[in-house]
């Protein structure tokens, strides 16, 4: 069983202004049927949809798709975190949505460097945790990775998901700085990370290019706090879904069967409170991270 923890849907006619700056291949309506073709061809059985616009309509679209398709097992939506009253109302409005499993804000597009430190945001995220929802942080490096670690320390009841391994600066001069902050974030036991969005590194020599980030992630988080994700359809403008899955699979495939199961499935089930595995498939991964901290708490 493989759960892709990072799939997007969108309709350019309804927001998504950032699409103006990406490959023209992505500037089209992308629905659940499009995603399912790609995932099924790659042997991926289930997926979690992740917000791609800071709007209620984007979340509505994902929840509608999830209600219509069993293979969509969860949704990471959006609420206005910087407005405590509005965020509380939106969370209450959606509390009965069974597949809403997390919240995200496009912090990398927000001009406020201190967004994760704002009192209203912290209060809203405390409510997110109280509702049993995780919080995804996209593209955390360079502005928000340290703040994501601080957030996790300040709200230990909140599960903080660092998308795309925080977007490592492959080959850049600030690699060591990223690695230091990434390890510091991993030291918080309520953080997990997605092995996703690495297509930007290029997969001409996939193992050599991506392995340094993967090795560090495996060392500091351990497989019980890592999750596989494609970031599709962002991969469509590059190597494509199948190639991305193959390249990441080459790295994940070096792990033991139990460790692979953690990255592909069981971590996601725990973090996003998805339906449990049957007992015969619930063997935990055995490797621990160098931080010797517990896995992210069950929510």
């Amino acid at each position: 069983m493989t759960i892709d923890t990072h799939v997007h849907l969108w309709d350019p006619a309804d927001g998504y202004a950032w699409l103006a700056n990406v490959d023209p291949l992505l500037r089209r309506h992308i629905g659940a049927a499009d995603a399912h073709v790609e995932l099924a061809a790659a042997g991926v059985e289930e997926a979690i949809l992740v917000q791609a616009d800071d709007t209620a309509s984007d979340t509505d679209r994902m929840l509608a798709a999830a209600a219509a398709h069993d293979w969509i097992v969860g949704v990471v939506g959006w609420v206005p975190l910087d407005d405590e009253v509005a965020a509380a109302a939106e969370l209450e409005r959606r509390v009965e949505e069974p597949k809403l499993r997390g919240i995200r804000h496009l912090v990398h597009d927000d001009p406020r460097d201190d967004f994760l430190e704002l009192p209203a945001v912290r209060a809203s995220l405390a409510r997110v945790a109280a509702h049993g929802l995780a919080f995804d942080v996209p593209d955390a490096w360079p502005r928000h990775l340290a703040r994501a670690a601080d957030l996790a320390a300040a709200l230990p009841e909140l599960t903080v998901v660092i998308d795309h391994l925080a977007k490592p600066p492959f080959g850049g001069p600030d690699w060591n700085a990223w690695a230091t902050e990434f390890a510091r974030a991993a030291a918080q036991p309520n953080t997990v990370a997605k092995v996703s969005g690495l297509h930007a590194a290029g997969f001409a020599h996939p193992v050599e290019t991506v392995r340094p980030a993967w090795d560090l992630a495996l060392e500091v988080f351990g497989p019980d706090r890592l999750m596989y994700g494609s970031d599709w359809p962002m991969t469509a403008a590059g190597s494509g879904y199948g190639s991305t899955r193959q390249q990441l699979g080459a790295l994940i495939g070096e792990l033991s069967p139990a460790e692979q199961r953690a990255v592909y499935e069981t971590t996601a089930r725990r973090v996003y409170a998805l339906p449990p595995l049957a007992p015969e498939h619930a063997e935990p991964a055995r490797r621990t991270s160098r931080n010797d901290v517990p896995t992210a708490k069950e929510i």
Side-chain angles (χ1 to χ4, degrees):
M1 175 69 71
T2 297
I3 300 174
D4 186 333
T5 63
H6 210 93
V7 174
H8 299 297
L9 308 179
W10 56 61
D11 184 352
D14 187 23
Y16 310 94
W18 59 270
L19 284 173
N21 301 315
V22 301
D23 192 293
L25 286 172
L26 300 173
R27 299 175 203 164
R28 60 185 178 88
H29 176 272
I30 294 176
D34 302 302
H36 193 233
V37 167
E38 296 287 340
L39 271 64
V44 176
E45 295 92 343
E46 296 180 343
I48 293 173
L49 302 182
V50 178
Q51 65 96 226
D53 204 27
D54 292 340
T55 59
S57 61
D58 178 58
T59 302
D60 290 338
R61 182 176 295 107
M62 292 188 293
L63 289 171
H69 300 283
D70 290 342
W71 60 271
I72 301 173
V73 294
V75 168
V76 176
W78 175 86
V79 298
L81 294 170
D82 55 347
D83 185 333
E84 183 180 354
V85 174
E90 190 72 356
L91 286 169
E92 288 298 328
R93 182 173 77 87
R94 298 192 185 279
V95 71
E96 299 301 326
E97 293 282 359
K99 290 187 177 180
L100 181 65
R101 303 313 315 145
I103 296 297
R104 191 172 89 146
H105 180 84
L106 300 181
V107 293
H108 56 295
D109 287 340
D110 195 296
R112 295 166 289 185
D113 288 348
D114 63 345
F115 181 85
L116 296 179
E117 299 171 337
L118 297 176
V121 171
R122 291 286 177 92
S124 296
L125 288 174
R127 288 182 181 272
V128 167
H131 280 285
L133 304 175
F135 176 58
D136 276 48
V137 181
D139 294 19
W141 182 260
R143 293 194 300 145
H144 298 288
L145 183 52
R147 291 180 169 95
D150 294 340
L151 171 67
L155 293 177
E157 69 276 17
L158 177 69
T159 299
V160 177
V161 181
I162 300 175
D163 294 345
H164 314 324
L165 299 185
K167 280 298 178 78
F170 290 99
D174 50 351
W175 175 268
N176 289 338
W178 164 83
T180 297
E181 291 301 335
F182 188 70
R184 190 171 79 86
Q188 298 300 322
N190 54 322
T191 60
V192 296
K194 287 183 183 178
V195 188
S196 61
L198 303 180
H199 51 85
F203 282 131
H205 302 286
V207 174
E208 293 83 352
T209 303
V210 177
R211 184 181 293 280
W214 163 252
D215 285 347
L216 179 61
L218 192 61
E219 179 185 359
V220 299
F221 278 99
D224 273 328
R225 294 165 62 206
L226 294 175
M227 298 183 287
Y228 163 78
S230 67
D231 197 24
W232 190 88
M234 296 303 294
T235 57
S239 56
Y241 191 100
S243 178
T244 298
R245 175 156 163 74
Q246 180 182 15
Q247 308 301 0
L248 292 180
L251 295 170
I252 299 170
E254 296 172 356
L255 304 178
S256 74
E259 292 170 339
Q260 291 182 50
R261 189 175 302 121
V263 177
Y264 279 129
E265 180 180 17
T266 56
T267 302
R269 291 198 185 279
R270 183 183 71 250
V271 168
Y272 290 116
L274 302 177
L277 290 171
E280 64 269 22
H281 299 299
E283 179 187 358
R286 295 185 178 89
R287 185 182 305 190
T288 58
S289 72
R290 78 178 186 200
N291 295 302
D292 194 27
V293 295
T295 59
K297 69 179 184 67
E298 295 191 17
I299 55 175

